[in-house]
């Protein structure tokens, strides 16, 4: 059985000995999907910053603000841009005497307790 197939950016035509089938792509499909993905990614980035905020060590507030300043919402990367952010994240205790919720590994701790809520919220974004 011979199978002939012609593929173009707009779709495909497949012809067999029993007939042919035509597959045409909706030209707006990629744009719609990309826009929906972008909205969901913006939601996730914003939620990560918001939910990490009460866990970030706090002295002057600049470490927490550096997350807002260093992050491009929708990029998929949350970046705490303060020069001491990595030291605070990796090399300090997981809690502080002034607030036991604030301390190192704030993203990992937030993710462990709130990941499913963020994913559920992202699913609802249209």
């Amino acid at each position: 059985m011979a199978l002939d197939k012609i593929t173009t950016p707009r779709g495909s035509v497949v012809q067999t000995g029993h007939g042919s089938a035509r597959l045409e792509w909706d030209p707006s499909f990629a744009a719609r999907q990309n826009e929906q993905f972008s909205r969901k990614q913006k939601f996730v980035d914003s939620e990560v910053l918001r939910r990490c905020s009460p866990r970030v060590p706090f002295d002057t507030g600049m470490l927490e603000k550096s997350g807002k300043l260093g992050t491009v919402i929708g990029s998929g990367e949350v970046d705490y841009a303060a020069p001491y952010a990595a030291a605070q994240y990796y090399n300090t205790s997981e809690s502080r005497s002034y607030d036991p919720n604030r301390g190192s590994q704030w993203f990992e701790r937030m993710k462990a307790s709130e990941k499913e809520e963020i994913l559920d919220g992202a699913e609802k974004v249209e």
Side-chain angles (χ1 to χ4, degrees), residues 51-125:
R51 292 170 184 256
C52 280
S53 184
R55 293 173 171 84
V56 175
F58 192 90
D59 183 17
T60 64
M62 286 308 296
L63 179 57
E64 191 264 338
K65 287 177 186 170
S66 80
K68 293 175 184 172
L69 294 171
T71 300
V72 176
I73 300 295
S75 69
E77 292 184 25
V78 173
D79 184 19
Y80 288 82
Y84 51 88
Q88 289 290 315
Y89 190 83
Y90 294 108
N91 300 325
T92 62
S93 68
E94 284 193 10
S95 66
R96 299 291 192 267
S97 58
Y98 58 86
D99 185 346
N101 197 35
R102 294 185 183 272
S104 69
Q105 305 280 324
W106 55 84
F107 172 72
E108 292 300 326
R109 292 185 294 114
M110 180 281 300
K111 185 173 72 171
S113 65
E114 301 187 46
K115 172 183 160 185
E116 290 306 317
E117 291 175 28
I118 294 172
L119 294 176
D120 288 346
E123 278 299 312
K124 294 175 184 169
V125 172

